[in-house]
Amino acid sequence: MTFPRVVHMEWIKLRSLRSTLYTLAITVTLVVGLGLLFSSVVGSGDGPDQNDFGDPTSISLGGVLLASLAVAVLGVLMSAGEYATGSIRATLAAVPSRLPVLWGKVVVFALVSFVLMFLAALGAFLAGQSVMSSRGLDTTVLSDPGVFRALVGAAVYLTGAGLIGLAVGVLLRNTAGAITLVVGTLFVVPGLIQLLPSSWNDAIGPYLPSNAADAVMAVQTSGDSLSPGSGLVVFAGYIVVLLAGAAVMLKRRDA
């Protein structure tokens, strides 16, 4: 059982499950649909400040945050779902060394997710800028500084959220528990941190996974957030640590 065959096995699993296809379709719809919605309603007020709505690229990518929830759940299902059905036993019987199974899932999920999410982000950007341009609002183009990086960053954000879900699914081996933990970490904790004193929020907030990922896809960075490069390092660090922990537990525990 070679690694390319393990990757092919995981590819068959990914494309043959209807839930996977539905979740990917929902994710793409959220990225493009919400981007269009936000681009259609932004700056709709009257007065001289109607163009003062922030960065146009960020408006078009406004659906990424909610879409990351769907792709994170997909990552959990790709790993913990096998434990729920018991099919993990057959998988590990076919690949006794175990770790190639995890790396195969990572490779397949990362490639498929990144390509689809980049295309979704690009579609949301082009459609959103077209809508804002037709309404006489300020827009950006791909050649503007930081715009293409922001689109790549959006794909990295979504792919990374899915990999975090995949790793947590292996660690917990329970679908409901893994989804709860991932959703809480990515979406609930950042809101709770904002309730802390400002000094604590400034010290902790930028280093949370979702806030670090936000910095990667930001065209214009604020003073209290990480730079795109630092955000990428922090976000990647979370993914590496979780995948390393998942690899250790997969090797040590029984199926």
Side-chain angles (χ1 to χ4, degrees):
M1 178 62 72
T2 63
F3 184 68
R5 289 180 176 177
V6 174
V7 171
H8 185 246
M9 174 182 69
E10 294 301 329
W11 164 243
I12 293 174
K13 293 178 185 177
L14 183 68
R15 66 180 173 82
S16 60
L17 290 175
R18 289 184 179 179
S19 59
T20 299
L21 301 179
Y22 292 157
T23 306
L24 287 173
I26 290 171
T27 305
V28 171
T29 301
L30 288 173
V31 174
V32 178
L34 290 179
L36 276 173
L37 176 62
F38 295 150
S39 300
S40 300
V41 300
V42 70
S44 57
D46 298 327
D49 295 331
Q50 63 177 348
N51 265 333
D52 187 17
F53 51 79
D55 173 49
T57 302
S58 299
I59 299 299
S60 296
L61 298 178
V64 170
L65 178 61
L66 188 58
S68 64
L69 171 60
V71 77
V73 170
L74 177 60
V76 171
L77 294 177
M78 189 172 177
S79 55
E82 285 202 66
Y83 287 97
T85 62
S87 61
I88 189 66
R89 297 184 182 89
T91 298
L92 297 182
V95 190
S97 55
R98 296 194 173 198
L99 289 185
V101 173
L102 177 61
W103 307 137
K105 290 181 183 294
V106 170
V107 168
V108 170
F109 186 90
L111 289 176
V112 172
S113 177
F114 183 82
V115 171
L116 283 179
M117 296 307 105
F118 176 76
L119 293 176
L122 179 61
F125 170 79
L126 295 176
Q129 298 307 299
S130 176
V131 169
M132 286 190 284
S133 177
S134 67
R135 299 174 56 220
L137 301 177
D138 295 335
T139 58
T140 55
V141 295
L142 282 174
S143 58
D144 287 342
V147 172
F148 185 77
R149 176 187 51 75
L151 300 184
V152 175
V156 169
Y157 184 173
L158 293 167
T159 302
L163 291 176
I164 288 174
L166 191 153
V168 173
V170 174
L171 287 169
L172 297 187
R173 302 194 296 182
N174 180 277
T175 303
I179 291 175
T180 301
L181 180 59
V182 171
V183 171
T185 302
L186 294 179
F187 299 97
V188 178
V189 172
L192 295 178
I193 290 296
Q194 294 180 1
L195 301 178
L196 298 176
S198 59
S199 58
W200 291 25
N201 186 19
D202 294 340
I204 300 173
Y207 297 95
L208 296 176
S210 56
N211 292 341
D214 277 336
V216 178
M217 56 177 281
V219 175
Q220 302 171 355
T221 57
S222 59
D224 57 349
S225 63
L226 299 175
S227 66
S230 299
L232 178 61
V233 171
V234 172
F235 190 54
Y238 281 106
I239 297 172
V240 170
V241 169
L242 287 171
L243 287 175
V248 171
M249 298 309 294
L250 179 64
K251 194 73 174 177
R252 289 184 177 181
R253 294 187 302 200
D254 294 332

Coordinates of all heavy atoms in Angstrom, one line a residue, residues 12-76:
I12 N -11.3 8.9 -3.4 CA -12.5 8.2 -3.6 C -13.6 8.4 -2.5 O -14.7 8.7 -2.8 CB -12.3 6.7 -3.8 CG1 -11.5 6.4 -5.1 CG2 -13.6 5.9 -3.8 CD1 -11.0 5.0 -5.2
K13 N -13.1 8.4 -1.3 CA -14.0 8.7 -0.1 C -14.6 10.1 -0.3 O -15.8 10.3 0.0 CB -13.3 8.5 1.2 CG -12.8 7.1 1.5 CD -12.0 7.2 2.8 CE -11.4 5.9 3.2 NZ -10.6 5.9 4.4
L14 N -13.7 11.0 -0.6 CA -14.2 12.4 -0.6 C -15.2 12.7 -1.7 O -16.3 13.3 -1.4 CB -13.0 13.4 -0.8 CG -13.3 14.9 -0.8 CD1 -13.7 15.3 0.6 CD2 -12.0 15.6 -1.2
R15 N -15.0 12.2 -2.9 CA -15.9 12.5 -4.0 C -17.1 11.6 -4.0 O -18.1 11.9 -4.7 CB -15.1 12.4 -5.3 CG -14.6 11.0 -5.7 CD -13.9 11.0 -7.0 NE -13.3 9.8 -7.3 CZ -13.9 8.7 -7.9 NH1 -15.2 8.8 -8.2 NH2 -13.3 7.6 -8.2
S16 N -17.1 10.5 -3.3 CA -18.2 9.6 -3.4 C -19.3 9.8 -2.3 O -20.4 9.2 -2.4 CB -17.7 8.1 -3.3 OG -17.1 7.9 -2.1
L17 N -19.0 10.7 -1.4 CA -20.0 11.0 -0.3 C -20.9 12.2 -0.7 O -20.3 13.3 -1.0 CB -19.3 11.2 1.0 CG -18.7 10.0 1.7 CD1 -17.9 10.5 2.9 CD2 -19.7 9.0 2.0
R18 N -22.2 12.0 -0.7 CA -23.0 13.2 -1.1 C -22.9 14.3 -0.1 O -23.0 15.5 -0.5 CB -24.5 12.7 -1.1 CG -24.8 11.8 -2.3 CD -26.3 11.4 -2.3 NE -26.6 10.6 -3.5 CZ -27.8 10.1 -3.7 NH1 -28.8 10.4 -2.9 NH2 -28.1 9.3 -4.7
S19 N -22.7 14.0 1.2 CA -22.6 15.0 2.2 C -21.4 15.9 1.9 O -21.5 17.1 2.1 CB -22.5 14.4 3.6 OG -21.3 13.6 3.7
T20 N -20.3 15.3 1.4 CA -19.1 16.1 1.1 C -19.4 17.1 -0.1 O -19.1 18.3 0.0 CB -18.0 15.2 0.7 OG1 -17.6 14.4 1.8 CG2 -16.8 16.0 0.3
L21 N -20.1 16.6 -1.1 CA -20.4 17.4 -2.2 C -21.4 18.5 -1.9 O -21.2 19.7 -2.3 CB -21.0 16.6 -3.4 CG -20.1 15.5 -3.9 CD1 -20.8 14.7 -5.0 CD2 -18.8 16.0 -4.4
Y22 N -22.4 18.2 -1.0 CA -23.3 19.2 -0.6 C -22.6 20.3 0.2 O -22.9 21.5 0.1 CB -24.4 18.6 0.2 CG -25.3 17.6 -0.6 CD1 -26.1 16.6 0.1 CD2 -25.5 17.8 -1.9 CE1 -26.9 15.8 -0.7 CE2 -26.3 17.0 -2.7 CZ -27.0 15.9 -2.0 OH -27.8 15.1 -2.8
T23 N -21.7 19.9 1.2 CA -21.1 20.8 2.0 C -20.2 21.8 1.2 O -20.1 23.0 1.5 CB -20.3 20.1 3.1 OG1 -21.1 19.2 3.8 CG2 -19.7 21.1 4.1
L24 N -19.4 21.2 0.3 CA -18.6 22.0 -0.6 C -19.4 23.0 -1.4 O -19.1 24.2 -1.6 CB -17.8 21.2 -1.5 CG -16.6 20.4 -0.9 CD1 -16.0 19.4 -1.9 CD2 -15.6 21.3 -0.3
A25 N -20.6 22.5 -1.9 CA -21.5 23.4 -2.7 C -22.0 24.5 -1.8 O -22.1 25.7 -2.2 CB -22.6 22.6 -3.3
I26 N -22.4 24.2 -0.5 CA -22.9 25.2 0.4 C -21.8 26.2 0.7 O -22.0 27.5 0.8 CB -23.4 24.5 1.7 CG1 -24.6 23.8 1.4 CG2 -23.6 25.6 2.8 CD1 -25.1 22.9 2.6
T27 N -20.5 25.8 0.9 CA -19.4 26.7 1.2 C -19.2 27.7 0.0 O -19.1 28.9 0.3 CB -18.2 25.9 1.4 OG1 -18.4 24.9 2.5 CG2 -17.0 26.8 1.9
V28 N -19.2 27.2 -1.2 CA -19.0 28.0 -2.3 C -20.1 29.0 -2.4 O -19.9 30.2 -2.7 CB -18.8 27.2 -3.6 CG1 -18.9 28.1 -4.8 CG2 -17.6 26.4 -3.6
T29 N -21.4 28.6 -2.2 CA -22.5 29.4 -2.3 C -22.5 30.5 -1.2 O -22.8 31.7 -1.5 CB -23.8 28.6 -2.1 OG1 -23.9 27.6 -3.1 CG2 -25.0 29.5 -2.2
L30 N -22.0 30.2 0.0 CA -21.9 31.2 1.0 C -20.8 32.3 0.6 O -21.1 33.5 0.8 CB -21.5 30.5 2.3 CG -22.6 29.7 3.0 CD1 -22.0 29.0 4.2 CD2 -23.8 30.6 3.5
V31 N -19.7 31.8 0.1 CA -18.7 32.8 -0.2 C -19.1 33.7 -1.3 O -19.0 35.0 -1.2 CB -17.4 32.0 -0.7 CG1 -16.4 33.0 -1.2 CG2 -16.8 31.2 0.4
V32 N -19.7 33.2 -2.4 CA -20.1 34.0 -3.5 C -21.4 34.8 -3.2 O -21.5 36.0 -3.4 CB -20.3 33.2 -4.8 CG1 -20.8 34.0 -5.9 CG2 -19.0 32.5 -5.1
G33 N -22.4 34.0 -2.6 CA -23.7 34.6 -2.4 C -23.7 35.8 -1.4 O -24.2 36.9 -1.6
L34 N -23.0 35.6 -0.2 CA -22.9 36.6 0.8 C -22.0 37.8 0.3 O -22.3 38.9 0.6 CB -22.4 36.1 2.1 CG -23.3 35.1 2.8 CD1 -22.6 34.6 4.1 CD2 -24.6 35.8 3.2
G35 N -21.0 37.4 -0.5 CA -20.2 38.5 -1.1 C -21.0 39.4 -2.0 O -20.9 40.7 -1.9
L36 N -21.9 38.8 -2.8 CA -22.8 39.6 -3.7 C -23.8 40.4 -2.8 O -24.1 41.6 -3.1 CB -23.5 38.7 -4.6 CG -22.8 38.3 -5.9 CD1 -23.6 37.3 -6.7 CD2 -22.6 39.5 -6.8
L37 N -24.3 39.8 -1.8 CA -25.3 40.5 -0.9 C -24.7 41.7 -0.3 O -25.2 42.8 -0.3 CB -25.8 39.5 0.1 CG -26.8 40.1 1.2 CD1 -28.0 40.6 0.5 CD2 -27.1 39.1 2.2
F38 N -23.5 41.5 0.3 CA -22.8 42.6 1.0 C -22.5 43.7 0.0 O -22.6 44.9 0.3 CB -21.6 42.2 1.7 CG -21.9 41.2 2.9 CD1 -21.0 40.2 3.2 CD2 -23.1 41.3 3.6 CE1 -21.2 39.4 4.3 CE2 -23.4 40.4 4.6 CZ -22.4 39.4 4.9
S39 N -22.0 43.3 -1.2 CA -21.7 44.3 -2.2 C -22.9 45.1 -2.7 O -22.8 46.2 -3.2 CB -21.0 43.6 -3.4 OG -19.8 43.0 -3.0
S40 N -24.1 44.4 -2.6 CA -25.3 45.1 -3.1 C -25.9 46.1 -2.1 O -26.6 47.0 -2.5 CB -26.3 44.0 -3.4 OG -25.9 43.1 -4.4
V41 N -25.6 45.9 -0.8 CA -26.2 46.8 0.2 C -25.3 47.8 0.8 O -25.7 48.7 1.4 CB -26.9 45.9 1.3 CG1 -27.9 45.0 0.7 CG2 -25.8 45.1 2.0
V42 N -24.0 47.6 0.6 CA -23.0 48.5 1.2 C -23.1 49.9 0.6 O -23.4 50.0 -0.6 CB -21.6 47.9 1.1 CG1 -21.1 48.0 -0.4 CG2 -20.6 48.7 2.0
G43 N -23.0 50.9 1.4 CA -23.0 52.2 0.9 C -24.4 52.7 0.3 O -24.4 53.6 -0.5
S44 N -25.4 52.0 0.8 CA -26.8 52.4 0.3 C -27.4 53.6 0.9 O -28.4 54.1 0.5 CB -27.7 51.2 0.5 OG -27.8 50.8 1.8
G45 N -26.7 54.1 2.0 CA -27.2 55.3 2.7 C -27.0 56.5 1.8 O -26.2 56.6 0.9
D46 N -27.7 57.6 2.2 CA -27.5 58.9 1.6 C -26.5 59.7 2.2 O -26.1 59.4 3.4 CB -28.9 59.7 1.6 CG -30.0 58.9 0.8 OD1 -29.6 58.3 -0.2 OD2 -31.1 59.0 1.3
G47 N -26.0 60.7 1.6 CA -25.0 61.6 2.2 C -23.6 61.5 1.6 O -23.4 60.6 0.8
P48 N -22.7 62.4 1.9 CA -21.4 62.4 1.3 C -20.5 61.3 1.8 O -19.5 61.0 1.1 CB -20.8 63.8 1.9 CG -21.6 64.0 3.1 CD -23.0 63.5 2.9
D49 N -20.9 60.5 2.8 CA -20.1 59.5 3.3 C -20.5 58.1 2.8 O -20.1 57.1 3.4 CB -20.1 59.4 4.9 CG -19.4 60.7 5.4 OD1 -18.5 61.3 4.8 OD2 -19.8 61.1 6.5
Q50 N -21.3 58.0 1.8 CA -21.8 56.8 1.3 C -20.8 55.9 0.7 O -20.9 54.7 0.7 CB -23.0 57.0 0.3 CG -22.5 57.7 -1.0 CD -23.7 57.8 -2.0 OE1 -24.7 57.2 -1.8 NE2 -23.5 58.6 -3.0
N51 N -19.6 56.5 0.3 CA -18.5 55.7 -0.2 C -17.5 55.3 0.9 O -16.6 54.5 0.6 CB -17.7 56.5 -1.3 CG -18.2 56.2 -2.7 OD1 -18.7 55.1 -2.9 ND2 -18.0 57.1 -3.6
D52 N -17.7 55.8 2.1 CA -16.8 55.5 3.2 C -17.3 54.2 3.9 O -17.8 54.3 5.0 CB -16.8 56.7 4.1 CG -15.7 56.5 5.2 OD1 -14.8 55.7 5.0 OD2 -15.8 57.2 6.2
F53 N -17.1 53.1 3.3 CA -17.5 51.8 3.8 C -16.4 50.9 4.0 O -16.6 49.7 4.3 CB -18.6 51.2 2.9 CG -18.1 51.1 1.5 CD1 -17.3 50.0 1.1 CD2 -18.6 52.0 0.5 CE1 -16.9 49.9 -0.3 CE2 -18.2 51.9 -0.8 CZ -17.3 50.9 -1.2
G54 N -15.1 51.3 3.9 CA -14.0 50.5 4.2 C -13.4 49.9 2.9 O -13.7 50.5 1.8
D55 N -12.7 48.8 3.0 CA -12.0 48.2 1.8 C -13.0 47.5 0.9 O -13.7 46.5 1.4 CB -10.9 47.3 2.3 CG -10.3 46.5 1.2 OD1 -9.9 47.1 0.2 OD2 -10.2 45.3 1.3
P56 N -13.1 47.8 -0.4 CA -14.0 47.1 -1.3 C -13.8 45.6 -1.4 O -14.7 44.8 -1.5 CB -13.8 47.8 -2.6 CG -13.3 49.1 -2.3 CD -12.4 48.9 -1.0
T57 N -12.5 45.2 -1.3 CA -12.2 43.8 -1.4 C -12.7 43.0 -0.2 O -13.3 41.9 -0.4 CB -10.6 43.6 -1.5 OG1 -10.1 44.3 -2.6 CG2 -10.3 42.1 -1.6
S58 N -12.6 43.6 1.0 CA -13.1 42.9 2.2 C -14.6 42.8 2.1 O -15.2 41.8 2.6 CB -12.7 43.7 3.4 OG -11.3 43.7 3.5
I59 N -15.3 43.7 1.5 CA -16.7 43.6 1.4 C -17.1 42.4 0.5 O -18.0 41.7 0.8 CB -17.3 44.9 0.7 CG1 -17.0 46.1 1.6 CG2 -18.8 44.8 0.5 CD1 -17.6 46.0 3.0
S60 N -16.4 42.3 -0.6 CA -16.7 41.1 -1.5 C -16.4 39.8 -0.9 O -17.0 38.8 -1.2 CB -15.9 41.3 -2.8 OG -16.3 42.4 -3.5
L61 N -15.5 39.8 0.1 CA -15.1 38.5 0.8 C -15.8 38.4 2.1 O -15.4 37.6 3.0 CB -13.6 38.5 1.0 CG -12.7 38.5 -0.3 CD1 -11.2 38.5 0.1 CD2 -13.0 37.3 -1.2
G62 N -16.9 39.1 2.2 CA -17.6 39.1 3.5 C -18.2 37.7 3.9 O -18.6 37.5 5.0
G63 N -18.4 36.9 2.9 CA -19.0 35.6 3.2 C -18.0 34.5 3.7 O -18.4 33.4 4.0
V64 N -16.7 34.9 3.7 CA -15.7 33.9 4.1 C -15.8 33.4 5.5 O -15.7 32.2 5.8 CB -14.3 34.5 3.8 CG1 -13.2 33.6 4.4 CG2 -14.0 34.7 2.3
L65 N -16.2 34.3 6.4 CA -16.3 34.0 7.8 C -17.3 32.9 8.0 O -17.0 31.8 8.7 CB -16.6 35.2 8.7 CG -16.8 34.9 10.2 CD1 -15.5 34.4 10.8 CD2 -17.2 36.2 10.9
L66 N -18.5 33.1 7.5 CA -19.5 32.1 7.7 C -19.2 30.8 6.9 O -19.5 29.7 7.4 CB -20.9 32.6 7.2 CG -22.1 31.8 7.6 CD1 -22.2 31.5 9.0 CD2 -23.4 32.5 7.1
A67 N -18.6 30.9 5.7 CA -18.3 29.8 5.0 C -17.2 28.9 5.7 O -17.2 27.7 5.5 CB -17.7 30.2 3.6
S68 N -16.4 29.5 6.5 CA -15.4 28.7 7.2 C -16.0 27.8 8.2 O -15.5 26.7 8.5 CB -14.4 29.7 7.9 OG -15.1 30.4 8.9
L69 N -17.2 28.1 8.7 CA -17.9 27.2 9.5 C -18.3 25.9 8.8 O -18.1 24.8 9.3 CB -19.2 27.9 10.1 CG -20.2 27.0 10.8 CD1 -19.5 26.4 12.1 CD2 -21.4 27.8 11.2
A70 N -18.8 26.1 7.5 CA -19.2 24.9 6.8 C -18.0 24.0 6.4 O -18.0 22.8 6.5 CB -19.9 25.4 5.5
V71 N -16.9 24.6 6.0 CA -15.7 23.9 5.6 C -15.0 23.2 6.9 O -14.4 22.1 6.8 CB -14.7 24.7 4.8 CG1 -13.9 25.7 5.7 CG2 -13.8 23.9 4.0
A72 N -15.1 23.9 8.0 CA -14.6 23.3 9.2 C -15.4 22.0 9.6 O -14.8 21.0 10.0 CB -14.6 24.3 10.4
V73 N -16.7 22.1 9.5 CA -17.6 20.9 9.7 C -17.2 19.8 8.7 O -17.2 18.6 9.1 CB -19.1 21.3 9.6 CG1 -19.9 20.1 9.6 CG2 -19.4 22.3 10.7
L74 N -17.0 20.2 7.5 CA -16.6 19.1 6.5 C -15.3 18.4 6.9 O -15.1 17.2 6.8 CB -16.4 19.8 5.1 CG -15.9 18.9 4.0 CD1 -16.9 17.7 3.8 CD2 -15.7 19.6 2.7
G75 N -14.3 19.2 7.4 CA -13.1 18.6 7.9 C -13.3 17.6 9.0 O -12.7 16.5 9.1
V76 N -14.2 18.0 9.9 CA -14.6 17.1 11.0 C -15.2 15.8 10.5 O -14.8 14.7 10.9 CB -15.5 17.7 12.0 CG1 -16.1 16.7 13.1 CG2 -14.8 18.9 12.8

